[in-house]
Amino acid sequence: MMADDLGVEAKEAAVREVAKLLPLPELLQSIVAIKADYIARQQANDAHLSTMVAEQVEQAQGGLESLSLSQNTIGQLRENFVDIEKLCQECQTLIENHDQIKLLSNARNNLNLTLKDVEGMMSISSEAAEAHDSLTDEKELVSTYERLTALDGKRRFALAAASSHEKEVGRLSEYFEDIDRTWETFERTLWGHVSNFFKLAKESPQTLVRALRVVEMQEILDQEVATEAAEAEGGGAVESVANPRKNAKKSASARNLPQQKFKVQGKGYKDKCYEEISKAVEARFNQLLTELVFEDLKGALEEAKKIGEELGDIYDFVAPCFPPRYEIFQLMVNLYTERFIQWLRLLSDRANDMTNIEILKVTGWVVEYQENLIGLGVDESLAQVCSESGAMDPLMNAYVERMQATTRKWYLNILEADKVQAPKKTDDGKLYTPAAVDLFRILGEQVQIVRENSTDVMLYRIALAIIQVMIDFQAAQRQKLEEPASEIGLEALCAMINNNLRCYDLAMELSSSTLEALPQNYAEQVNFEDTCKGFLEVAKEAVHQTVSVIFEDPGVQELLVKLYQKDWLEAQVTEYLVATFSDYFSDVKMYIEERSFRRFVEACVEETIVVYVDHLLLQKNYIKEETIERMKLDEEVLMDFFREYISVSKVENRVRVLGDLRELASSESPDSFTLVYTNILEHQPDCPPEVVEKLVSLREGIPRKDAKEVVQECKEIYVNSLVDGNPPKAGFVFPKVKSLSASKGGLWRKLT
């Protein structure tokens, strides 16, 4: 009945649906399409229902299987509970045998540990073989080291465990020989890589890094072993409580300490690394230091240059492979520099066999090496170790000595040639010889060559050598000036004056350029100034010798002999003398520079005054009125002549002494003598009382007693004017008056 109702309801619902779909008659045409759509939906619904039914069936089957497994598990648990209950009942009967059970359990555990240790020891041989085989692969270097280190640990443990049985220790040592042989092979490989650091850094840096990693790992291990050894000696008691088994191992290891001493001290891989690097550097320098240095200088320089340039690759390729704390680049700089210094010392041993050009090539290489180091960031003071080590001193000494000898020979030849060859003239008539210009051209070339091809030390040595050459050149000229002025000749002396003034200018230019090229610390040790002034002193001496030419002239000598004689009173000496001076002055003025000519005139004035004073004190005629008048005329003639060439004040300052002596000679009383003498001392503090003594003796009508009194008072005045026993200053006249040194004190003794 219910099914019929459902069918009716379904039918009615279907009718309603159809009415909704076809509300209008014209829609009946779409019945076919609607039917087709219905059929498609029906098929889809059927498929969906089939799938859902299949899933439900599978889930139902899984649930049934789970129920079955649960029942089985529950059954097993029940059986286990039954077994547990039985075991508990059995254990209750074994409580009385607990100690035996514990001993059995410990024995079982110890047996398991022993079996494990035996298995480990049995595997040592095969593991050593595996480590040996891995040595052929550079990439396995670190792994090989780790394997060998692990094998070492096993060996130490085994030897410690058997340390109480000497026979067992011997057998185990034989068993572990494979490890030792593998270690030896490994270390040969390791140090081979380290020794080959330069090539590996460029071609296979990974291999070098692995080798250095092994070194670092061993250093860490050495530190750990050392720490353990220290703990074994100092902290054993405490650690025995905390870890009895570990302490037992350490105690056994400590008992075996003499046999394993090298382990506690460590393998020293880092020191060995430095040692291998040093050996590699020594090998790199071997050909340079044992063959080329003695046989082929050119080849040695090329090899040294090639080796020095390797530091650039060391900076770029080698240094990055090493840990920064190794400071490998600085180490390599030190090693290379030490051996280059050794090479320079070997070269210095044969310095006398090397030419100057070869020496300059060596010093030039040193400069390049220093610049290369500075370019790589090395401190300048460290870069100059080669040049400042003293290794090149014999080379520099040989070069400097040859330069000095050559220059000395050259300028001596020039000076000898100047004696026979007439000086040359400039367009304006000034005399000179090529010596000055040629000398400083040669010296300048030496400085330039050394600046471009050598070190600061070498330039410093050359600067000192040049100073010595200039000093020697000045000494040679002074030696020439010791010859009689008349033999040297006026023109030669004038040329010497001009040459030395030119030398001064050239020396100042050379000193300026040289000091600019020197570092400050060297420049401060070089004193060109005093040596340069030496040329001015030589020129000054030549000026005085030029004056001597005039006074050594026979005609002048003939006139000077007549001073304070009859011809002199008749105006036939001083007037003729200045006329002769005039002829000489016209030549000298044309021959030398204006500044030198003024000095020449001043020197001539002074020499004239000295000669007049000297002849005044030497002549034996009594001083009369006509003598005083002629003396005054001399002063006027000399003043009128010399003031045409130099300033009036300079002439007056020099001629004044003649006027003072004239007044002294014309004094009429003791007081006037002392007054005039006091005035003379103001201008000529070194005028001795012997001058007064001489002039008093040449006066008629002065009683002997008064003369003695005048001389005594003047002597007291002179003594009181002295400062520390000497005149306050030296004048230009009286030290040069020959009559004073020849007859000093003679008249005084006569009067007393």
Side-chain angles (χ1 to χ4, degrees), residues 90-107:
E90 291 177 1
C91 288
Q92 288 178 355
T93 60
L94 295 175
I95 290 176
E96 296 176 356
N97 300 317
H98 178 72
D99 293 338
Q100 288 81 1
I101 294 173
K102 185 176 181 180
L103 291 173
L104 180 62
S105 177
N106 289 338

Side-chain angles (χ1 to χ4, degrees), residues 173-461:
S173 298
E174 294 176 1
Y175 182 73
F176 293 135
E177 286 180 356
D178 286 345
I179 299 178
D180 292 331
R181 286 192 291 269
T182 305
W183 264 117
E184 290 175 1
T185 305
F186 171 78
E187 289 184 344
R188 281 197 300 270
T189 303
L190 174 66
W191 301 130
H193 291 330
V194 174
S195 298
N196 198 29
F197 66 91
F198 186 77
K199 183 178 180 181
L200 285 179
K202 298 176 72 174
E203 298 179 0
S204 181
Q206 302 90 342
T207 302
L208 179 59
V209 170
R210 293 187 193 103
L212 295 171
R213 183 182 173 190
V214 168
V215 173
E216 288 289 281
M217 293 170 70
Q218 182 61 43
E219 285 293 303
I220 295 172
L221 181 60
D222 288 346
Q223 184 62 39
E224 291 176 352
V225 172
T227 302
E228 289 180 1
E231 290 175 354
E233 292 179 2
V238 175
E239 205 165 314
S240 62
V241 177
N243 194 341
R245 186 172 181 272
K246 182 177 181 181
N247 188 68
K249 290 182 180 180
K250 288 186 178 180
S251 298
S253 178
R255 287 194 300 271
N256 200 40
L257 193 60
Q259 292 82 2
Q260 301 295 324
K261 187 175 181 181
F262 70 97
K263 293 295 182 183
V264 175
Q265 291 178 341
K267 293 188 175 183
Y269 268 19
K270 186 176 180 181
D271 293 338
K272 180 68 173 176
C273 177
Y274 285 137
E275 181 182 340
E276 292 296 325
I277 291 172
S278 297
K279 288 180 179 178
V281 173
E282 288 178 4
R284 181 67 183 90
F285 276 81
N286 183 61
Q287 185 182 17
L288 178 66
L289 296 178
T290 60
E291 299 177 14
L292 296 176
V293 68
F294 302 111
E295 301 171 359
D296 182 8
L297 179 61
K298 181 179 178 181
L301 287 170
E302 292 176 354
E303 180 70 4
K305 183 177 181 180
K306 184 178 178 181
I307 294 175
E309 290 174 350
E310 290 177 359
L311 286 173
D313 290 337
I314 290 173
Y315 184 87
D316 293 333
F317 299 104
V318 177
C321 295
F322 281 77
R325 63 189 181 88
Y326 278 54
E327 296 183 345
I328 194 65
F329 178 68
Q330 187 59 55
L331 172 65
M332 297 303 294
V333 169
N334 294 341
L335 292 174
Y336 273 49
T337 301
E338 287 174 5
R339 281 149 187 82
F340 279 133
I341 289 174
Q342 183 181 352
W343 173 58
L344 291 173
R345 293 191 190 281
L346 293 173
L347 287 177
S348 294
D349 290 341
R350 45 191 292 262
N352 293 331
D353 299 329
M354 296 173 63
T355 65
N356 279 2
I357 294 177
E358 290 174 334
I359 292 174
L360 286 176
K361 287 181 179 179
V362 173
T363 58
W365 172 85
V366 173
V367 172
E368 291 180 5
Y369 180 65
Q370 290 179 176
E371 292 175 350
N372 183 32
L373 292 182
I374 294 172
L376 292 172
V378 178
D379 186 79
E380 188 171 348
S381 61
L382 297 176
Q384 294 178 347
V385 170
C386 262
S387 60
E388 296 184 353
S389 64
M392 292 197 302
D393 285 355
L395 292 174
M396 292 189 292
N397 291 340
Y399 184 91
V400 170
E401 289 170 3
R402 293 171 192 169
M403 185 274 287
Q404 287 179 310
T406 302
T407 308
R408 176 179 173 79
K409 182 178 179 181
W410 177 86
Y411 70 64
L412 288 177
N413 290 337
I414 290 292
L415 292 177
E416 287 297 321
D418 287 348
K419 293 181 180 180
V420 296
Q421 296 177 0
K424 297 181 180 181
K425 289 185 179 181
T426 62
D427 295 338
D428 56 355
K430 301 297 184 285
L431 299 177
Y432 74 95
T433 63
V437 175
D438 288 348
L439 173 65
F440 281 93
R441 175 181 55 79
I442 292 174
L443 296 179
E445 288 175 354
Q446 287 295 328
V447 171
Q448 188 64 28
I449 290 171
V450 173
R451 284 182 63 177
E452 294 175 354
N453 299 282
S454 195
T455 61
D456 292 337
V457 178
M458 184 70 161
L459 182 58
Y460 166 69
R461 296 287 299 277

Side-chain angles (χ1 to χ4, degrees), residues 151-170:
L151 289 172
D152 260 354
K154 291 182 178 180
R155 174 169 60 178
R156 285 197 303 272
F157 174 77
L159 291 174
S163 59
S164 59
H165 305 284
E166 295 182 2
K167 293 183 179 180
E168 294 298 325
V169 170

Side-chain angles (χ1 to χ4, degrees), residues 42-172:
Q42 186 178 19
Q43 290 176 350
N45 290 335
D46 290 343
H48 181 66
L49 288 173
S50 298
T51 301
M52 291 179 64
V53 170
E55 290 177 354
Q56 290 294 327
V57 171
E58 289 177 359
Q59 291 178 359
Q61 289 177 349
L64 291 173
E65 291 176 357
S66 298
L67 288 174
S68 177
L69 290 172
S70 298
Q71 288 178 350
N72 293 335
T73 301
I74 292 170
Q76 290 177 357
L77 288 173
R78 286 176 179 173
E79 292 176 359
N80 289 337
F81 281 126
V82 172
D83 292 340
I84 289 170
E85 186 176 356
K86 290 180 179 179
L87 291 172
C88 288
Q89 291 176 356
E90 291 177 1
C91 288
Q92 288 178 355
T93 60
L94 295 175
I95 290 176
E96 296 176 356
N97 300 317
H98 178 72
D99 293 338
Q100 288 81 1
I101 294 173
K102 185 176 181 180
L103 291 173
L104 180 62
S105 177
N106 289 338
R108 182 182 179 185
N109 290 335
N110 290 335
L111 180 60
N112 288 334
L113 290 173
T114 302
L115 291 173
K116 186 176 180 181
D117 291 340
V118 170
E119 290 175 359
M121 291 176 63
M122 294 298 293
S123 67
I124 287 177
S125 181
S126 60
E127 290 178 8
E130 291 176 1
H132 187 276
D133 293 339
S134 66
L135 287 174
T136 57
D137 188 354
E138 294 178 349
K139 295 180 181 179
E140 295 296 321
L141 190 66
V142 177
S143 299
T144 302
Y145 169 76
E146 291 174 341
R147 290 172 181 170
L148 289 173
T149 303
L151 289 172
D152 260 354
K154 291 182 178 180
R155 174 169 60 178
R156 285 197 303 272
F157 174 77
L159 291 174
S163 59
S164 59
H165 305 284
E166 295 182 2
K167 293 183 179 180
E168 294 298 325
V169 170
R171 293 173 184 172
L172 288 174

